Amino acid sequence: MFGKSWTFNWEPTQTSSLEVHSPLLEWVRTIGIITATSADWFHATKRETRETIKQLLSAGIIMRGQAQSEDNQKLTVYAIEPLAGDAAVKKLILERVLDHWLDYVEPIDIQTNPSGGTIRIGDELVDIRILYGDVHPPERERVLWFGGNWDEFRSVIQPGHFAATLDVWEKGMVMKWEHNWTPVPLSLLTKG
């Protein structure tokens, strides 16, 4: 997923006055984008997920699109506003990361920003930084960097920072930098 060029094509939508309240919609509002696969996290069955998405689409609250990578990987995506370019890719990566994070801890106070996002683990705020396009300096000492390959981290990583590529992350691991890389299980990271 990292290091690829993605093209986002959005279908037009019509707005209605129907009010809809759902965890799925709150996620879209927070993250800005979801995939069809990760949407299943919000409901016990795929049928419930499909019905909720259909309701949100018919109400004109979210719009459907397709993301296609340069190697022809395709994802169905949903958002409130059409997204494109680096911003859309970052949102897509952040959505994947946070969706997977929920297997380990329930984050609260999720916030997104141009370079990634911030989550709260217990009493501590952790910056998530995505190395795609412009890179912004972290605001906190505890930082988790995501990138496409380990060489990308050299220009930004500081001792005590954590880093992961998506394949390492999805195996439940991150790497801690202390002038060399040390593997850390994600479950330990969430416990401080």
Side-chain angles (χ1 to χ4, degrees):
M1 170 170 286
F2 295 98
K4 297 179 183 177
S5 296
W6 287 81
T7 302
F8 289 75
N9 297 305
W10 296 97
E11 299 174 5
T13 185
Q14 295 181 345
T15 304
S16 76
S17 59
L18 178 64
E19 274 197 39
V20 180
H21 301 282
S22 79
L24 187 64
L25 180 56
E26 290 308 309
W27 183 270
V28 179
R29 283 182 175 142
T30 302
I31 304 304
I33 192 170
I34 62 166
T35 63
T37 303
S38 64
D40 292 335
W41 177 82
F42 293 95
H43 300 280
T45 68
K46 289 188 177 181
R47 181 178 178 183
E48 289 178 359
T49 304
R50 284 195 300 268
E51 289 302 313
T52 301
I53 288 176
K54 190 185 298 182
Q55 191 179 20
L56 294 172
L57 286 168
S58 64
I61 294 172
I62 63 172
M63 53 196 311
R64 181 194 289 114
Q66 185 180 78
Q68 182 169 349
S69 68
E70 58 193 359
D71 60 357
N72 291 323
Q73 181 183 357
K74 295 180 181 178
L75 292 172
T76 301
V77 291
Y78 303 92
I80 293 176
E81 299 289 340
L83 300 167
D86 283 3
V89 177
K90 285 185 179 180
K91 295 285 189 180
L92 193 57
I93 295 169
L94 184 60
E95 178 269 340
R96 286 274 299 274
V97 167
L98 292 178
D99 178 56
H100 183 254
W101 192 295
L102 293 169
D103 292 339
Y104 296 90
V105 65
E106 185 172 342
I108 57 173
D109 296 339
I110 301 172
Q111 299 173 6
T112 61
N113 55 48
S115 56
T118 302
I119 65 170
R120 184 184 299 277
I121 303 177
D123 294 329
E124 189 167 4
L125 288 174
V126 177
D127 274 5
I128 294 176
R129 287 289 178 264
I130 296 168
L131 289 173
Y132 193 103
D134 294 333
V135 176
H136 298 262
E139 297 162 11
R140 267 163 278 281
E141 291 183 9
R142 191 159 191 193
V143 181
L144 180 56
W145 294 95
F146 286 89
N149 62 70
W150 296 102
D151 291 337
E152 291 181 331
F153 297 120
R154 290 181 182 171
S155 63
V156 296
I157 200 80
Q158 299 291 323
H161 285 186
F162 298 89
T165 55
L166 201 60
D167 59 335
V168 168
W169 174 264
E170 290 181 341
K171 291 174 184 173
M173 301 291 292
V174 295
M175 303 294 281
K176 185 175 183 179
W177 178 252
E178 293 286 0
H179 305 295
N180 54 35
W181 293 111
T182 304
V184 178
L186 187 55
S187 56
L188 292 182
L189 177 64
T190 61
K191 292 174 183 175

